[in-house]
Amino acid sequence: MPKHFLSILDMSKEEAHAVLARAKEMKDTSHRSDLLSGKTLLLIFEKASTRTRVSFEVGVRQLGGDPVFIASKDSQLGRSEPLADTARVLSRYADGLVVRTFGQAKLDTLVKYGTIPVINALTDEFHPCQVMSDMLTMYERTPDLSKVKVAWVGDGNNMAHSFVNASALFGFELALAIPDGYDMDQDIVEKAAAMGARFSVTRDPAEAVAGAHFVNTDVWASMGQEEEQRMREEAFKGFIVDEALMSKADADVKFMHCLPAHCGEEVSAQVFESSASIVWDQAENRLHMQKAIMEWIWK
C-alpha cells in the first residue's frame, strides 16, 4: 500500500519528530540524492501558487526525480472525467501526486482509486506541508517544542486546523484567537484533542498572544473567498498583528506568516518588516521539509 500525506496526523509522533530532525539535517547539509531517480511526480494545482509549486519542483529535482506541473486549466480534475477515473489513469503514468485543490474529498478519492502516493499541497481543510515547515522554523530556534507557546490570530482555516494537528504530535501549547463566525471545523478539532493536542480558543487576540513565543497569522480572505473580503474586513477588526499586540507576547517573540501577506490587514508593515519576523526562513523551509516528507514516503 502506498504511503500518503493528506494531513499531519498521517504521521505518528515518532515519525513526525524524525521527519522534523531529518529536514533540519537536509537543510544543514544542502542535501541532494538520487532517491527519486527514475520517478515522475505530477504536481496538480487547482489553486495558484508560488512557494508551494517552486519548492516542490526544486525539491523533486534535488532528490533526483522529474516533476510535471499541471494547472487546473490543463486538466480534467473532477470536471469532464470522473475523478476516480483520473486517479486510475495517472497511477499508470506517474509515481506520485502532489495536489493543491479545494475540498479534501478530492484527495480522498485520488487515494481510494489510485495506486500511488498522494501529498496534500493545500486543501480548504488542511495545509500540512506548510505547517510542518513552520515546525522546522520553530525547531531551529527551540528544539524542544513542548516548551513553546504558539499563538494563532485569525481565521479558523486550514492553517489553524493544521496547527491544532501539529500540537497533537509535537506537544506545544497553542492559543487561537478566532473571530465569531469563523471557527474551526469541530470534527477536526475533536480528533486532534483526542490525540492530545494542547489548545485553547478565544475571541480576544491579546489573550491568545500573552506570553507567546511565536505569533502566527494569515490573510483574512484566502483564495476562493475574495467575494467575502469586505465582510471579513469588518469581522476581523481588532485581529491585526501590530506592535501593540506583539508587545503582549514573550520578549523574544517571533512573527510568522505563511505568505502572501497583506500588510495593513492581518499584519502591520512594522511587524512584518521587523527583526522579530522570520517569514523568509519559513518560506525557505518549505523546500527542506518537503524533501524530508518525500523521503519519508519513498525511502
Side-chain angles (χ1 to χ4, degrees):
M1 293 290 292
K3 188 183 291 184
H4 307 287
F5 188 60
L6 307 186
S7 86
I8 289 173
L9 297 184
D10 285 334
M11 292 180 179
S12 67
K13 288 185 179 180
E14 294 74 18
E15 288 173 323
H17 281 84
V19 167
L20 186 59
R22 180 59 173 151
K24 176 69 163 59
E25 181 181 24
M26 285 179 159
K27 180 176 183 177
D28 291 344
T29 61
S30 299
H31 180 77
R32 306 290 193 278
S33 79
D34 59 0
L35 174 71
L36 299 181
S37 178
K39 289 182 169 58
T40 300
L41 271 64
L42 303 181
L43 279 60
I44 303 175
F45 282 40
E46 291 193 295
K47 289 187 174 184
S49 168
T50 300
R51 283 154 293 278
T52 303
R53 175 182 175 176
V54 174
S55 58
F56 262 113
E57 287 201 20
V58 173
V60 169
R61 288 193 172 96
Q62 289 186 0
L63 296 181
D66 294 305
V68 175
F69 180 78
I70 304 173
S72 58
K73 64 182 178 61
D74 301 322
S75 74
Q76 297 178 340
L77 197 64
R79 294 204 297 270
S80 60
E81 178 179 62
L83 190 57
D85 294 355
T86 300
R88 289 180 279 213
V89 169
L90 296 182
S91 293
R92 300 194 177 207
Y93 295 154
D95 301 282
L97 303 177
V98 179
V99 185
R100 185 177 175 94
T101 186
F102 292 89
Q104 188 84 3
K106 285 191 174 182
L107 299 188
D108 295 336
T109 300
L110 291 171
V111 166
K112 180 178 180 179
Y113 292 96
T115 58
I116 56 178
V118 177
I119 296 175
N120 181 356
L122 178 143
T123 62
D124 292 341
E125 289 82 2
F126 300 111
H127 201 354
C129 293
Q130 173 68 58
V131 172
M132 282 296 290
S133 302
D134 295 344
M135 294 301 105
L136 174 58
T137 309
M138 292 160 49
Y139 176 73
E140 290 178 307
R141 291 158 175 84
T142 310
D144 186 353
L145 294 180
S146 68
K147 296 180 179 179
V148 164
K149 178 181 178 181
V150 178
W152 174 263
V153 180
D155 197 3
N157 61 10
N158 51 7
M159 287 289 295
H161 292 155
S162 292
F163 265 107
V164 171
N165 284 350
S167 175
L169 299 190
F170 295 104
F172 58 86
E173 178 188 355
L174 176 64
L176 304 103
I178 300 173
D180 187 30
Y182 295 88
D183 290 310
M184 296 180 288
D185 181 278
Q186 195 60 30
D187 289 340
I188 292 173
V189 167
E190 289 178 359
K191 181 178 179 180
M195 294 184 66
R198 299 168 55 205
F199 66 95
S200 59
V201 181
T202 178
R203 304 298 183 201
D204 182 3
E207 179 182 343
V209 168
H213 303 97
F214 297 92
V215 175
N216 283 265
T217 190
D218 192 5
V219 294
W220 291 343
S222 299
M223 283 177 287
Q225 300 171 336
E226 291 81 4
E227 72 282 358
E228 302 176 19
Q229 179 68 33
R230 289 188 179 179
M231 180 175 64
R232 284 173 171 265
E233 286 176 0
E234 185 65 28
F236 283 73
K237 281 183 178 178
F239 282 75
I240 183 171
V241 179
D242 55 17
E243 291 173 302
L245 187 61
M246 290 285 282
S247 71
K248 301 181 184 303
D250 182 81
D252 195 33
V253 63
K254 302 301 180 187
F255 171 74
M256 302 176 72
H257 195 302
C258 59
L259 303 179
H262 295 165
C263 289
E265 290 186 12
E266 75 276 4
V267 59
S268 69
Q270 291 81 4
V271 169
F272 187 78
E273 297 292 350
S274 72
S275 60
S277 177
I278 54 174
V279 299
W280 311 121
D281 288 345
Q282 282 179 267
E284 176 188 345
N285 284 342
R286 295 295 303 279
L287 170 63
H288 310 299
M289 177 51 70
Q290 281 153 197
K291 286 162 63 178
I293 290 169
M294 288 187 285
E295 184 179 85
W296 171 73
I297 289 174
W298 275 281
K299 190 169 183 178

